[in-house]
Amino acid sequence: MIDKLAWIHIVDGKILVTRTKGRKKFYLPGGKRQKGESDAQTLFREIEEELSVQIELPSMQFVGIFEAQADGQKPGILVRMTCYSATYLGVLAPASEIEEMQWFTYEDREKVSEVDTLIFDILKENGDLV
């Protein structure tokens, strides 16, 4: 099981996604927990590294935990994605290994990883994603 955290950031019914250099699929911003990190510490570090902004920790709201086949891994290797929404400080800009960021609607769900399609489905059901 791969333990990851993701930031759910939706504006006007569109969700922020990123694409890592050398990859074709887009992913929700976030990443793997380092040993001993809390959810808040992991999300803060990953979002700052990937998008040059700082999550406002008091604004973090739990969205859900989702599990699916891990992208690019052998069958049976799952990813557990713990998702939060939050406000941020700064200007969004791709950094580190991130090649680009996009705003996706539900129609774009075929361009994301398996676990992210589950998240897109829930967000659409809840009326958050157009």
Side-chain angles (χ1 to χ4, degrees):
M1 180 72 64
I2 299 170
D3 178 29
K4 295 183 93 174
L5 282 99
W7 181 37
I8 305 291
H9 184 55
I10 299 171
V11 176
D12 298 329
K14 295 180 180 177
I15 190 165
L16 180 67
V17 294
T18 58
R19 187 176 60 76
T20 303
K21 292 174 184 164
R23 293 275 179 104
K24 291 184 179 179
K25 290 193 178 201
F26 285 82
Y27 301 88
L28 295 173
K32 293 179 188 172
R33 183 189 318 270
Q34 291 180 354
K35 187 173 180 162
E37 277 185 329
S38 67
D39 286 3
Q41 290 168 324
T42 302
L43 202 60
F44 185 90
R45 176 183 52 77
E46 285 287 345
I47 298 309
E48 189 172 42
E49 286 174 8
E50 292 182 359
L51 293 169
S52 308
V53 297
Q54 296 180 331
I55 293 291
E56 294 185 292
L57 297 179
S59 74
M60 284 179 62
Q61 296 287 320
F62 178 74
V63 174
I65 298 173
F66 304 87
E67 291 181 7
Q69 171 63 41
D71 190 45
Q73 300 290 324
K74 293 178 187 174
I77 303 289
L78 301 178
V79 61
R80 175 179 291 136
M81 190 82 78
T82 305
C83 300
Y84 292 88
S85 63
T87 57
Y88 66 93
L89 298 172
V91 177
L92 290 167
S96 187
E97 75 272 9
I98 302 304
E99 188 156 359
E100 68 177 306
M101 61 183 212
Q102 296 283 326
W103 294 94
F104 277 9
T105 66
Y106 185 74
E107 298 293 318
D108 298 305
R109 71 190 284 279
E110 76 281 354
K111 299 176 187 173
V112 299
S113 70
E114 193 171 323
V115 71
D116 289 352
T117 62
L118 297 176
I119 297 164
F120 273 46
D121 290 346
I122 295 296
L123 294 172
K124 175 72 171 171
E125 263 180 46
N126 293 343
D128 297 319
L129 203 56
V130 295

